[in-house]
């Protein structure tokens, strides 16, 4: 046990996930896919196909995009047989799972977290870069569910307004990639990834956080640009106009003062003439 823990927490460039955890993530995805098929009233073939697509679809997409890294689906035939048996059990004993909704939800959240970890860790191991590693983690986490929805003729749930699902997968993958990038032990980064995904899933349901389906920022941006235009106009245009108005007002005041001076000068001249005896003829 001690040697196993030392192997997991060793500072290696590749995260080694125990096969039991790896199998659990696939089985949990297959379980949710089979229950989805039962809700849609599909037959046994449809249930098996939906289960396998949900459990393996994201990994197949990831391995197809990352060419030359091997396909996980074809590397574990024993797990495929186990998943088929689980789908058949769900199909014929679906009533058992009606009383296990909380358990199924927890298993689904854990599977999303583990899928995000699987995708991100594999991309990091093959040096795909931070951006592509986060994308690969998100694709692995929700790709199977999206393909399953398309197969039954529905818009994928990850594209609709809902509680955090794809957001949780991308968030967990981002946590892993950032921690791995800054030298955190990969085992701790993996635990943080799964915890982040599960926490986001549960918090989004508990607080009813949902992605929005409609968002139009055009009116807000237009109002902001209008306000900014008014501010710039006040700073650069009206400021110059006010200075020009002040200059014109000063000039008008100066002209008015000159006219007053001229009027006063004319009145004083007339007074002087009268004092000198130059009275008008009718006043003499």
């Amino acid at each position: 046990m001690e040697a196993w823990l030392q192997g997991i927490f060793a500072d290696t460039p590749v995260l080694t996930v125990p096969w039991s955890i790896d199998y659990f993530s696939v089985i949990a995805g297959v379980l949710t896919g089979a229950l989805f098929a039962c809700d849609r009233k599909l037959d046994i073939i449809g249930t098996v196909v939906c289960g396998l697509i949900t459990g393996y679809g994201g990994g197949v997409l990831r391995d197809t995009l990352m060419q030359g890294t091997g396909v996980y689906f074809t590397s574990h035939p024993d797990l495929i047989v186990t998943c088929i048996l689980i789908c058949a059990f769900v199909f014929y004993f679906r009533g058992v799972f009606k009383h296990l909704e909380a358990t199924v939800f927890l298993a689904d959240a854990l599977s999303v977290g583990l899928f995000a970890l699987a995708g991100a860790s594999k991309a990091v191991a093959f040096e795909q870069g931070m951006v592509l590693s986060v994308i690969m983690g998100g694709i692995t986490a929700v790709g199977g569910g999206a393909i399953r929805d398309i197969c039954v003729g529905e818009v994928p749930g990850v594209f609709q307004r809902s509680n955090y699902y794809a957001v949780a997968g991308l968030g967990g993958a981002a946590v892993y990639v950032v921690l791995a990038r800054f030298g955190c032990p990969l085992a701790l980064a993996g635990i943080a990834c799964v915890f982040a995904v599960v926490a986001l899933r549960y918090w989004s349901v508990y607080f009813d956080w949902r992605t929005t389906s409609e968002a139009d920022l055009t009116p807000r941006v237009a109002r902001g640009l209008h306000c900014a235009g008014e501010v710039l106009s006040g700073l650069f245009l009206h400021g110059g106009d006010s200075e020009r108005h002040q200059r014109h007002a000063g000039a008008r005041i100066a002209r008015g003062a000159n006219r007053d001076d001229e009027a006063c000068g004319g009145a004083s001249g007339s007074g002087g003439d009268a004092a000198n005896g130059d009275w008008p003829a009718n006043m003499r």
Side-chain angles (χ1 to χ4, degrees), residues 4 8 16-24:
W4 178 73
I8 293 178
T16 302
V17 179
W19 67 270
S20 56
I21 296 178
D22 210 7
Y23 275 30
F24 170 79

Side-chain angles (χ1 to χ4, degrees), residues 79-161:
L79 182 57
I80 296 175
V81 175
T82 302
C83 292
I84 293 174
L85 294 176
I86 290 173
C87 291
F89 180 82
V90 172
F91 181 81
Y92 289 108
F93 298 95
R94 65 188 70 185
V96 174
F97 299 95
K98 293 181 180 179
H99 307 288
L100 300 175
E101 293 183 358
T103 303
V104 172
F105 181 81
L106 174 60
D108 179 62
L110 287 173
S111 70
V112 173
L114 292 171
F115 280 141
L117 172 61
S121 62
K122 190 170 185 177
V124 170
F126 284 91
E127 299 179 352
Q128 296 296 312
M130 295 184 67
V131 175
L132 287 179
S133 297
V134 173
I135 293 175
M136 290 300 172
I139 289 175
T140 309
V142 302
I147 297 174
R148 175 203 63 201
D149 294 342
I150 293 173
C151 288
V152 298
E154 297 181 3
V155 177
V158 296
F159 298 156
Q160 302 182 59
R161 185 174 185 269

Side-chain angles (χ1 to χ4, degrees), residues 110-271:
L110 287 173
S111 70
V112 173
L114 292 171
F115 280 141
L117 172 61
S121 62
K122 190 170 185 177
V124 170
F126 284 91
E127 299 179 352
Q128 296 296 312
M130 295 184 67
V131 175
L132 287 179
S133 297
V134 173
I135 293 175
M136 290 300 172
I139 289 175
T140 309
V142 302
I147 297 174
R148 175 203 63 201
D149 294 342
I150 293 173
C151 288
V152 298
E154 297 181 3
V155 177
V158 296
F159 298 156
Q160 302 182 59
R161 185 174 185 269
S162 62
N163 299 112
Y164 293 167
Y165 191 74
V167 172
L170 289 171
V175 168
Y176 177 84
V177 171
V178 170
L179 292 178
R181 174 66 176 80
F182 288 98
C184 178
L186 296 184
L188 294 179
I191 294 173
C193 170
V194 177
F195 176 80
V197 172
V198 174
L200 285 173
R201 283 286 290 152
Y202 271 90
W203 289 344
S204 67
V205 173
Y206 183 80
F207 294 106
D208 197 25
W209 295 340
R210 295 176 180 270
T211 54
T212 180
S213 59
E214 295 183 2
D216 186 7
L217 298 179
T218 304
R220 296 184 181 181
V221 174
R223 287 195 296 268
L225 292 176
H226 180 70
C227 293
E230 290 183 348
V231 172
L232 294 176
S233 177
L235 290 175
F236 296 103
L237 298 179
H238 295 300
D241 291 343
S242 63
E243 293 179 358
R244 186 163 54 253
H245 291 326
Q246 290 178 359
R247 289 196 299 270
H248 291 168
R252 286 195 298 271
I253 293 173
R255 288 196 297 270
N258 293 333
R259 286 195 297 269
D260 293 340
D261 292 340
E262 291 175 359
C264 293
S268 60
S270 300

Side-chain angles (χ1 to χ4, degrees), residues 69-82:
T69 61
V71 180
Y72 182 83
F73 175 74
T74 59
S75 303
H76 303 273
D78 56 330
L79 182 57
I80 296 175
V81 175
T82 302

